[in-house]
Structure formats: C-alpha cells, structure tokens
Amino acid sequence: MVSGTITELASMSGSIAWKEGKPSLHCHGTVTGKDFTAHGGHMLGATVGTGSVEIIITVHGKRLERVTEQPPGANVLNLK
C-alpha cells in the first residue's frame, strides 16, 4: 500500500480474461506521490479523485480464458 496522496497513475497494463464464466482482471500499475516518487505493483483497486483517467482496451481476436495450471497452481491465460 502506498501512503500519502497519489498524484498520478503513470502507467497501467494487464489483461481482462474469463475465469469460470466471469470477467477476471489482472492489472499492474505505477503511481506517483506528491514528491514524484514512483511505486508499482498489482492494482487491487483504485479511485479517481480529481481529474480523469484514460484507459485503452485492445480486443483480442480470440477469447482469453484463465485456467489454474497444476503445478504450480497459477492462473494462466489460454486462447480459446
């Protein structure tokens, strides 16, 4: 968790896939504080307080499906 006020979402990338019939998001992001230090990692939630955020979604020609692969027990992307 980043403490203090977040000034900017500098970048965000990830995927939207399907898992067990429901949308499954996996996003990483980089945010900056008032002193412009950067913090990055998994984005588990976010709120736009002032201003705006621009998100571009690229649609893949095939269906992205997340399945649990054993081993190692990770949710991996498969193309359907």
Side-chain angles (χ1 to χ4, degrees):
M1 177 185 246
V2 178
S3 61
T5 302
I6 301 301
T7 302
E8 180 178 16
L9 173 64
S11 70
M12 183 175 77
S13 65
S15 61
I16 303 172
W18 293 94
K19 181 169 185 181
E20 300 172 357
K22 296 180 182 176
S24 173
L25 279 68
H26 185 109
C27 298
H28 297 97
T30 304
V31 296
T32 63
K34 284 189 174 188
D35 62 354
F36 298 106
T37 57
H39 303 273
H42 284 98
M43 293 194 63
L44 304 177
T47 301
V48 178
T50 59
S52 65
V53 64
E54 296 178 24
I55 298 174
I56 298 171
I57 298 175
T58 302
V59 178
H60 194 282
K62 294 187 179 183
R63 183 180 173 103
L64 295 173
E65 188 89 29
R66 283 205 181 277
V67 295
T68 304
E69 187 175 86
Q70 298 294 339
N75 290 322
V76 296
L77 285 176
N78 282 335
L79 294 175
K80 297 281 181 172

